[in-house]
Amino acid sequence: MIVGIVGLGLIGGSLAKAYAAGGHTVYAFDTDATTLEFAQLSGVIAEKLTEGNLPDCNLLLLAVYPKATVSYLNENAAILPPLVIDCCGVKREICQAAFPLAKTYGFTFVGGHPMAGTHFSGFKYATETLFQGAPMVLVPPVFDDIYLLDRVKEALAPCRFGHFAVTTAEKHDEMIAFTSQLAHVVSNAYIKSPMADSHKGFSAGSYKDLTRVAWLNPQMWAELFLENKDNLLQEIDCLTASLLAYRQAIAENDRKTLIALLDEGRKRKEEVDGK
């Protein structure tokens, strides 16, 4: 299989390494010439992905920011390979643009979001095992095409995903605002406390868990947040209301209410985790 990959950051680089390790031919493009050259010298990339060899690919994976993904699709729609999958963290903008293009130009587009990563970014942190056992969210153009889903799973087999979830672009963006984007906002805001300068010797697992994703790519996450701002604002408002309830109980020395709030959160954790 010949696989084209656009973007050689953590996700795109890990995709390239997974397919190369599986014996497939990888053509790739990245706006950073140094990254692209290093990927070629390391043997992960066979050739630079160009307009000339793009039609030779069996599969194209797009691992760049949402707006860049839409631009690439629009600019190359007439020469795209039979199957195109994106790997962006939001889906509505991309699917709204891609599904009509796919219908017009005769390729198949499936929205994708690999639920894997680290707080590091860049090709040097990419690994061929990044996606092993991880979930992959798929947004197909239709939901009753079993053949298409089997085709996509087979195409993604070298990544060794552990589970595939199928949903709509709208539902994906609603869920991701809660499970990912809100967590990054909270972590990034939490670390701004003046006390963070003196945390050593006083911090353990809770601190590490809450601050891990504060170390993020500002340009990428800003674009993702703004593309999904309606859902993210709703989650921020929900969290803000909850925090204000805790704050009021503490400020008023309202032990009974505080215990009730804490117990409510504990029970909710057990409920959503199925314990």
Side-chain angles (χ1 to χ4, degrees):
M1 179 165 56
I2 300 177
V3 182
I5 297 176
V6 179
L8 288 174
L10 176 69
I11 299 300
S14 295
L15 289 168
K17 291 181 179 181
Y19 280 93
H24 301 283
T25 300
V26 179
Y27 299 160
F29 174 78
D30 194 275
T31 54
D32 187 328
T34 301
T35 296
L36 185 60
E37 182 179 4
F38 179 77
Q40 288 181 278
L41 290 173
S42 66
V44 175
I45 306 304
E47 295 181 22
K48 177 181 177 181
L49 182 65
T50 65
E51 290 183 2
N53 59 27
L54 178 58
D56 298 330
C57 297
N58 307 108
L59 168 68
L60 178 67
L61 298 168
L62 300 170
V64 290
Y65 297 177
K67 292 188 183 304
T69 295
V70 173
S71 294
Y72 189 91
L73 289 168
N74 279 312
E75 292 167 8
N76 297 281
I79 56 172
L80 292 176
L83 179 59
V84 180
I85 303 172
D86 86 286
C87 298
C88 293
V90 292
K91 295 270 76 76
R92 284 178 296 175
E93 178 192 19
I94 292 167
C95 290
Q96 286 169 6
F99 288 152
L101 285 173
K103 187 174 182 179
T104 299
Y105 290 95
F107 64 92
T108 298
F109 178 84
V110 175
H113 186 182
M115 304 305 295
T118 73
H119 56 282
F120 297 108
S121 60
F123 183 81
K124 67 178 179 179
Y125 296 108
T127 67
E128 65 182 74
T129 60
L130 180 66
F131 309 110
Q132 186 172 344
M136 175 62 161
V137 181
L138 299 175
V139 179
V142 294
F143 288 84
D144 57 354
D145 192 339
I146 301 302
Y147 169 76
L148 172 59
L149 294 177
D150 286 342
R151 179 183 167 201
V152 170
K153 291 177 182 179
E154 183 178 354
L156 294 173
C159 302
R160 293 180 284 176
F161 287 106
H163 173 71
F164 290 90
V166 180
T167 188
T168 64
E170 291 73 20
K171 186 62 177 180
H172 169 277
D173 288 359
E174 288 178 6
M175 290 301 302
I176 219 67
F178 170 68
T179 62
S180 178
Q181 294 182 346
L182 181 64
H184 283 77
V185 170
V186 172
S187 181
N188 198 263
Y190 172 79
I191 199 63
K192 294 177 182 178
S193 168
M195 299 305 296
D197 292 327
S198 307
H199 81 85
K200 291 184 179 178
F202 295 86
S203 57
S206 297
Y207 171 85
K208 291 178 181 178
D209 289 344
L210 191 50
T211 59
R212 182 181 66 82
V213 293
W215 194 349
L216 47 69
N217 180 329
Q219 289 76 23
M220 180 186 77
W221 283 100
E223 183 168 331
L224 293 175
F225 290 164
L226 293 176
E227 289 298 333
N228 199 30
K229 68 178 183 180
D230 54 341
N231 291 314
L232 181 55
L233 287 174
Q234 183 173 324
E235 292 300 330
I236 291 175
D237 289 344
C238 181
L239 177 63
T240 300
S242 292
L243 288 174
L244 287 174
Y246 288 99
R247 189 190 189 287
Q248 181 176 349
I250 293 169
E252 296 176 358
N253 289 312
D254 187 346
R255 182 183 179 89
K256 182 179 179 180
T257 298
L258 183 57
I259 289 174
L261 289 169
L262 294 169
D263 194 48
E264 181 182 45
R266 179 187 64 80
K267 290 178 179 177
R268 184 63 175 147
K269 171 65 173 174
E270 292 179 353
E271 177 184 331
V272 298
D273 286 357
K275 295 180 180 178

